[in-house]
Amino acid sequence: MDMKEIDAGLLQKAFLAAAKALEAKKDWINELNVFPVPDGDTGTNMTLTIMSAAREVAAIENPTMDNLSKAISSGSLRGARGNSGVILSQLFRGFTKELKGVDVITTTVLANAFVRATETAYKAVMKPKEGTILTVAKGMADKAVELAPETEDILEFADQVIEQGDYVLSQTPEMLPVLKEAGVVDSGGQGLMVVLKGARDGLTGGEVDFSSDEDRTMTVAGARSEAMAAEADIRFGYCTEFIINLDHPMDEKTEEEFKSYLESIGDSIVVVADDDLVKVHVHTNHPGLAFEKALTFGSLSRMKVDNMREEHHERLIRNAEQVAAEQKKEEEEKKKKARKPYGFIAVSMGDGLGEIFKGIGADCIIEGGQTMNPSTEDVLGAADQVNADVIFILPNNKNIILAAEQAASLAEGKNLVVIPSRTVPQGITALVNFAPELSVEENKENMIREMGRVKTAQITYAVRNTTIDGMEIDQGDIMGIGDEGMLAVGKSVDSTAIKALKAMLDEESELVTIYYGKDIREEDGEKLLAEAKEACPNCEVELHRGGQPIYYYIISVE
């Protein structure tokens, strides 16, 4: 089969096939994480990122290169989770920039898009590390540039680029010793190869069944209400359509904000804007909210609401009106609140840790962390809830920092400052050391300096056999994971925790703080507290309920 070009319809099909392929293999990719912890999340993060874009791509009924590029870029940027997801979104962002303005994709366009994708992703990472997804992307970009003048056959081109990507991926353990020791290739690079292979299959395969176990029921045909399943499977009950007769032309920024609002109250979004009109389709439980928002842009016509459940029709309409009124009231009350100079957002896992952050000044807590990395959109949504001139973001996880920084770059009319805290204890120390009399830059410098004095150990269990930092680990072993690697491995939670603690202590250590998780009883925490006091008699030792999942204990030393 000879294929010389890809049109918009085929691009849409290929992208959805790529998303489906990644979703199908996310658990396998998760298992490639170096640390054998029960929260391996590379595959999950990349899948949630691409699915955020896929929802928008699937809803486009009349695809063009421009509207597909916009959906892929904006959807993945806002849905990006974790470092791997952010890098994937930046690859999509760069790739789609080369597609705007073209009618069809050739091997030359593809080569340019690969190069621009790689350049964009490298720029997004402050200290790019070779042996990662970036290296795999660069290897394929270099091969694409080499091949473009030699062939016009897109399938032949794709096969050779993918072959090169597989080769570079196989070499990642030689570039990163930690991969070699663990006996795995880079998980992010593997995820990227799954995306490319899925897209390649989509170019020649049949119809894409774009559905999943997470209530995503879109198809290339446009996510219509007829494709919805039985009543029990329907999340949003009303298929709502209308036309806005605009008072003023809707620019791209306003259109994106309107779509984001619709996504907050429903799914299956289609927004097609012209100079004078905007056609809207949304599945929602609250049609009144969609109408109320739309009225801020102009008058409405051709309004149509179909009840996809039929059951409880009148009750749901009343609920929609009530929610609309309550939301309007909440927005008015929010506006009345005095604006303050500084606000704080912290990412935290566990109700105990959330209460600790609120107690020391956090305005908003984003639930998440190691078990579920919040997206760029989650950070932007949290920022909307904080009425402050400057909002400090505490990611409290090294895998969330990039998403927070991406949110800061996308924020409109808000000054978001990311304090790159890599652990919850670092975030707590940073917030405690905020001084309102200092400038933003002085505070940022001071908070980063002080949190740099914090060492952290996280105690959890292994989900597979491996070797890390010279330590043999068997499935079910208890691990003490530090800031830079493995601190301790054992069979007992308490003994491993104490061993990890001792590995962090030095002559300057003064304060030890232990946060016990949701699977630890308070009396067991008290027992570990006593052992910790005995192990470090020259330190002040504190115990707090963290309530965090997965990790039996989080221990910090300052």
Side-chain angles (χ1 to χ4, degrees):
M1 179 180 179
D2 193 15
M3 181 182 293
K4 296 291 181 67
E5 59 186 37
I6 300 171
D7 61 16
L10 196 52
L11 174 63
Q12 183 185 49
K13 187 175 179 180
F15 185 80
L16 295 181
K20 189 65 181 176
L22 184 58
E23 183 184 46
K25 295 192 175 183
K26 65 182 178 184
D27 292 335
W28 172 59
I29 296 168
N30 282 342
E31 293 173 1
L32 293 175
N33 280 2
V34 170
F35 287 101
V37 294
D39 62 0
D41 51 12
T42 299
T44 299
N45 285 336
M46 295 183 77
T47 297
L48 290 172
T49 299
I50 199 171
M51 283 298 180
S52 177
R55 283 193 291 271
E56 296 190 24
V57 170
I60 297 175
E61 295 182 349
N62 299 303
T64 66
M65 289 297 176
D66 284 351
N67 62 24
L68 286 176
S69 296
K70 183 177 177 181
I72 292 170
S73 180
S74 64
S76 61
L77 283 172
R78 290 183 171 271
R81 297 174 187 265
N83 293 344
S84 56
V86 171
I87 292 172
L88 181 64
S89 73
Q90 290 293 330
L91 287 169
F92 287 150
R93 181 186 185 191
F95 190 93
T96 55
K97 283 181 179 178
E98 284 295 320
L99 304 188
K100 293 180 179 179
V102 305
D103 295 322
V104 294
I105 300 172
T106 63
T107 56
T108 299
V109 172
L110 276 175
N112 292 337
F114 269 99
V115 171
R116 192 156 184 179
T118 303
E119 291 174 348
T120 303
Y122 265 88
K123 289 177 182 177
V125 180
M126 187 169 295
K127 294 181 180 179
K129 184 181 294 185
E130 296 305 327
T132 66
I133 182 176
L134 292 171
T135 309
V136 177
K138 188 175 186 303
M140 289 191 286
D142 291 343
K143 187 66 174 179
V145 171
E146 175 189 328
L147 288 173
E150 300 177 2
T151 180
E152 295 180 351
D153 186 347
I154 286 176
L155 297 181
E156 178 186 351
F157 174 92
D159 289 340
Q160 292 191 49
V161 169
I162 288 172
E163 182 181 355
Q164 178 66 15
D166 281 338
Y167 171 74
V168 176
L169 177 65
S170 72
Q171 298 303 300
T172 54
E174 303 303 321
M175 304 176 205
L176 282 177
V178 67
L179 295 177
K180 189 170 186 178
E181 187 178 28
V184 296
V185 296
D186 178 68
S187 55
Q190 184 68 76
L192 180 61
M193 295 313 304
V194 170
V195 169
L196 266 294
K197 291 174 183 178
R200 164 62 175 82
D201 291 342
L203 293 176
T204 55
E207 288 297 316
V208 178
D209 177 19
F210 188 64
S211 59
S212 80
D213 58 356
E214 297 182 24
D215 193 37
R216 302 186 185 97
T217 52
M218 288 70 66
T219 65
V220 177
R224 308 293 295 179
S225 61
E226 292 81 6
M228 299 298 286
E231 176 182 329
D233 296 325
I234 296 174
R235 183 181 176 190
F236 298 104
Y238 293 93
C239 177
T240 305
E241 297 180 356
F242 55 89
I243 289 177
I244 308 173
N245 303 291
L246 294 171
D247 293 334
H248 306 285
M250 181 179 285
D251 58 29
E252 184 174 327
K253 175 187 171 184
T254 305
E255 182 181 345
E256 284 300 315
E257 290 174 345
F258 182 46
K259 286 177 67 177
S260 295
Y261 175 81
L262 293 176
E263 287 173 348
S264 73
I265 63 169
D267 66 5
S268 300
I269 314 296
V270 178
V271 176
V272 181
D274 202 345
D275 290 340
D276 302 315
L277 302 174
V278 178
K279 183 178 180 181
V280 180
H281 171 278
V282 59
H283 291 175
T284 177
N285 288 330
H286 310 300
L289 295 179
F291 292 148
E292 183 175 351
K293 183 67 174 180
L295 284 169
T296 64
F297 304 116
S299 60
L300 305 185
S301 61
R302 300 188 187 179
M303 293 178 287
K304 179 173 173 285
V305 178
D306 291 329
N307 188 339
M308 294 188 291
R309 294 193 185 98
E310 294 297 335
E311 200 174 335
H312 306 306
H313 183 77
E314 293 300 326
R315 179 179 63 81
L316 289 176
I317 289 180
R318 288 196 299 270
N319 286 348
E321 294 172 345
Q322 180 182 351
V323 170
E326 290 175 354
Q327 180 168 321
K328 184 176 181 180
K329 182 179 179 180
E330 288 177 3
E331 290 176 352
E332 290 175 350
E333 290 177 352
K334 180 181 174 182
K335 290 178 181 178
K336 293 178 182 178
K337 289 183 179 179
R339 188 174 181 87
K340 56 183 183 177
Y342 300 112
F344 303 92
I345 296 172
V347 180
S348 180
M349 50 181 178
D351 57 344
L353 292 173
E355 288 303 316
I356 290 171
F357 273 112
K358 289 179 181 178
I360 59 176
D363 298 281
C364 182
I365 304 296
I366 301 176
E367 288 294 331
Q370 201 61 13
T371 54
M372 174 56 73
N373 298 153
S375 67
T376 297
E377 185 66 44
D378 291 333
V379 178
L380 289 170
D384 285 340
Q385 299 177 36
V386 181
N387 191 15
D389 296 328
V390 179
I391 303 173
F392 289 92
I393 312 292
L394 298 164
N396 301 329
N397 186 295
K398 64 181 180 181
N399 207 32
I400 303 175
I401 295 172
L402 277 182
E405 291 175 341
Q406 186 153 282
S409 69
L410 294 175
E412 297 285 349
K414 289 184 177 291
N415 184 6
L416 305 187
V417 179
V418 178
I419 305 298
S421 49
R422 295 161 59 91
T423 65
V424 164
Q426 280 192 350
I428 290 172
T429 296
L431 188 49
V432 166
N433 282 277
F434 175 80
E437 69 275 8
L438 299 180
S439 68
V440 173
E441 286 304 317
E442 288 172 332
N443 263 305
K444 182 176 181 179
E445 181 180 342
N446 185 53
M447 294 165 81
I448 291 175
R449 182 179 62 252
E450 292 303 317
M451 74 183 191
R453 306 180 195 278
V454 179
K455 300 175 185 177
T456 305
Q458 301 183 89
I459 314 301
T460 187
Y461 61 93
V463 295
R464 70 170 188 272
N465 300 340
T466 189
T467 301
I468 298 177
D469 295 334
M471 300 182 188
E472 295 290 334
I473 302 170
D474 295 327
Q475 182 177 346
D477 281 353
I478 305 301
M479 304 178 296
I481 304 173
D483 296 319
E484 303 300 333
M486 197 67 64
L487 295 173
V489 177
K491 303 298 182 181
S492 160
V493 172
D494 284 10
S495 63
T496 304
I498 294 299
K499 188 176 179 181
L501 169 59
K502 289 180 178 179
M504 293 190 291
L505 294 172
D506 58 31
E507 294 179 354
E508 297 181 357
S509 300
E510 297 178 350
L511 174 64
V512 174
T513 308
I514 302 172
Y515 305 92
Y516 62 91
K518 72 173 186 176
D519 297 323
I520 297 294
R521 297 177 301 173
E522 184 177 2
E523 52 265 38
D524 292 330
E526 293 286 353
K527 179 184 173 184
L528 183 66
L529 174 65
E531 292 182 42
K533 287 181 177 179
E534 185 177 340
C536 43
N538 298 322
C539 295
E540 180 182 349
V541 185
E542 299 178 351
L543 177 70
H544 299 280
R545 186 180 69 86
Q548 70 274 5
I550 303 297
Y551 292 88
Y552 302 119
Y553 292 103
I554 297 174
I555 305 172
S556 68
V557 175
E558 301 178 52

